[in-house]
Amino acid sequence: MEVIVLKRDWRREYFSIPNIMSYFRLVLIPIYLVVYFSAETDRDYAYAAAVIAVSGLTDMLDGKIARHFNMITDWGKLIDPVADKFTFAAIALSMSFRYPLMGVVFGLYVVKELYMLGMGAVMLRRGFRMDGAQWYGKVCTAVTYAVVFLLLVIPEMPEQVSDALIGICLAATVFAFVGYVAFYARAWKGLTK
């Protein structure tokens, strides 16, 4: 009897265009942090906004490219959300020094992500695997990018306006968190029937 061993193409798995875009987003994190923390003028904050815009654009495109050109890989399913989570955490934490309410968003985000990590691990052990972000998670990401971009492009906006924008971001994060709690509850119920 002949045994056939299928070799994975490691270049396709780790160095597809979508995965390279995820690596690029990870590289943009320290660049953003340096630009943001050294910003003194409106133009400096605009540069930080440009870094975030490039990161958001690559985040939007990598999944579309992966699906359209059949470049979906197991590694890509892992590295893309990791890049998203580290990017958002870096942005929220760095901005909390200027906007204290963003610290609340950061704290809630950490709780949400820890919950999702824990539930994901429990569900994976039971054979359930979530394949990608749910729509409410994508809405939260889009709202967050929009709010962050506005805060960076208009750094001297009145405090009431910045707090209102951050409040919208906080509401989107709560909405996503509740959505994922409900999602995992339904999945759990489906597995325990």
Side-chain angles (χ1 to χ4, degrees):
M1 182 169 131
E2 184 179 334
V3 176
I4 298 174
V5 177
L6 297 176
K7 283 188 177 180
R8 263 192 162 153
D9 182 358
W10 64 271
R11 287 170 297 208
R12 182 185 186 287
E13 182 71 20
Y14 297 106
F15 294 103
S16 66
I17 292 169
N19 291 350
I20 290 171
M21 293 170 86
S22 294
Y23 304 146
F24 180 64
R25 284 204 321 277
L26 288 169
V27 169
L28 287 177
I29 294 169
I31 293 170
Y32 159 77
L33 290 171
V34 167
V35 172
Y36 181 78
F37 282 119
S38 64
E40 294 178 359
T41 67
D42 288 357
R43 177 178 278 192
D44 296 337
Y45 285 108
Y47 291 145
V51 173
I52 296 304
V54 169
S55 179
L57 184 63
T58 57
D59 182 27
M60 186 178 73
L61 290 176
D62 67 357
K64 291 182 186 302
I65 290 169
R67 286 185 294 278
H68 187 271
F69 294 103
N70 194 26
M71 294 180 167
I72 297 171
T73 64
D74 289 336
W75 177 247
K77 290 177 186 178
L78 174 69
I79 195 67
D80 177 57
V82 166
D84 294 345
K85 289 166 189 3
F86 280 129
T87 299
F88 181 80
I91 292 168
L93 185 59
S94 65
M95 293 190 97
S96 68
F97 289 94
R98 183 177 176 110
Y99 305 100
L101 189 55
M102 192 58 92
V104 177
V105 175
F106 175 75
L108 180 60
Y109 179 76
V110 169
V111 170
K112 176 178 82 76
E113 292 303 322
L114 288 175
Y115 169 80
M116 290 178 63
L117 180 66
M119 284 305 295
V122 167
M123 298 298 281
L124 191 59
R125 289 188 67 158
R126 293 183 159 261
F128 178 83
R129 188 169 167 182
M130 185 169 74
D131 213 16
Q134 300 298 304
W135 68 269
Y136 31 84
K138 292 178 181 183
V139 167
C140 179
T141 300
V143 167
T144 300
Y145 271 113
V147 167
V148 165
F149 191 76
L150 286 172
L151 291 172
L152 289 170
V153 171
I154 313 168
E156 301 304 324
M157 73 173 60
E159 186 177 347
Q160 297 88 350
V161 176
S162 64
D163 283 350
L165 287 172
I166 295 169
I168 292 169
C169 187
L170 184 59
T173 306
V174 168
F175 179 69
F177 192 8
V178 169
Y180 280 113
V181 168
F183 173 84
Y184 279 116
R186 285 190 307 272
W188 181 266
K189 194 179 285 185
L191 287 176
T192 56
K193 279 185 177 178

